[in-house]
Amino acid sequence: MDQVKQGTDALFILLGAIMVLAMHAGFAFLELGTVRKKNQVNALVKILVDFAVSTIAYFFVGYTLAYGVNFFSGAETLAAKNGYELVKFFFLLTFAAAIPAIVSGGIAERAKFHPQLLATAVLVGFFYPLFEGAVWANKFGFQDFLKSIGGAEFHDFAGSVVVHAVGGWIGLAAVLWLGPRNNRYKKDGAMSAHPPSSIPFLALGAWVLTVGWFGFNVMSAQTIDKVSGLVAVNSLMAMVGGTLVAVLMGRNDPGFAYNGPLAGLVAVCAGSDLMHPAGALVAGGVGGAIFVLMFTLTQNRWKVDDVLGVWPLHGLCGAWGGIAAGIFGSTALGGLGGVSFVTQLLGTLAGVAWAFGSGVLVYGALRMAMGLRLSQEEEYDGADLSIHRIGATPEREPSW
């Protein structure tokens, strides 16, 4: 019976890893559909290569920092329990690799390629796993400290704060260091509009992310005996809430419509195992509202050129998700309880501070050492031709 349980657990978390791996295609197509045509190839290549770099950094360094587990042993040892520890690494890797995938959308269209790969290695290999380990493995006595203040541990079931808020606040730091795209904001106060290059690809990316999210949330149980239909339905309700609010507030704009479900899903990750579905609906709806309001403010009033809105979507909706778990997870609002609003607030603020500080440090150092931006001419030509020497849809065949 134990052998069957071990095999089932390994298969369960492997399927989750594959679903979250597929989400990286969603990141790629969401970015591809949002950026201008001259930067579409770069969007596709960045997400793939960032994932490869993340795998190396997390396998050899990051996973050990977070959980004290390393893989420097024989294959016979690694294959124990049907290789469960290996597929658990695979699953958590897909979360870690979401950090550079999130950042990628914010710095699109003007960032150099190789400095971003170095940033990926440092963030996924060092900065992200330190906070991940603090929350999910009680490293440095982080959870004990918060429990002593708020009466409960910081609860982040599927990474509203650990993954999304951290990625979004690192992304904000990178965007601020880079500055806006050339000619985006003019000296006379006018703005150049850069509409999405492909609504169908943007929608495809959002759909792939949305479907994969059910692996992201549900499989965070990590073993089959802990799987909960409550997590699945709460994810569904938050997705719906985010969609409807974003469509209404965004006046039917398809960009808002397709980022709305993502905002809702980001907001429910932390408390998806605790909330009542009605609470998840509200939490997701608030997430949709946060995205529409803050994306508009960021772009138009504050003139922060966050291309995909990764700070509002992941940074702010992720922070809201951490706090929302302390509100809608309480028994007073139909949740399962066992959470503290004070602890959720403090844990969220700690994640935000760590992420933004990490982003300022890493991207600031890279900016001084090797520069972050393409030249003005390279940016004008587009990252596709400047970096990859080919466009997404070459219009001319070479003549021989």
Side-chain angles (χ1 to χ4, degrees), residues 159-170 266 314-316 318-319 348 351-352 355:
S160 284
V161 177
V162 172
V163 178
H164 296 286
V166 166
W169 283 88
I170 289 173
V266 168
H314 298 277
L316 295 181
T348 299
V352 166

Side-chain angles (χ1 to χ4, degrees), residues 89 201 220 359:
F89 153 78
F201 276 136
S220 285

Side-chain angles (χ1 to χ4, degrees), residues 310-351:
V310 300
W311 179 61
L313 180 63
H314 298 277
L316 295 181
C317 290
W320 158 243
I323 295 167
I327 300 172
F328 297 103
S330 66
T331 54
L333 292 177
L336 295 180
V339 286
S340 159
F341 176 80
V342 172
T343 300
Q344 293 303 117
L345 180 62
L346 291 176
T348 299
L349 291 175

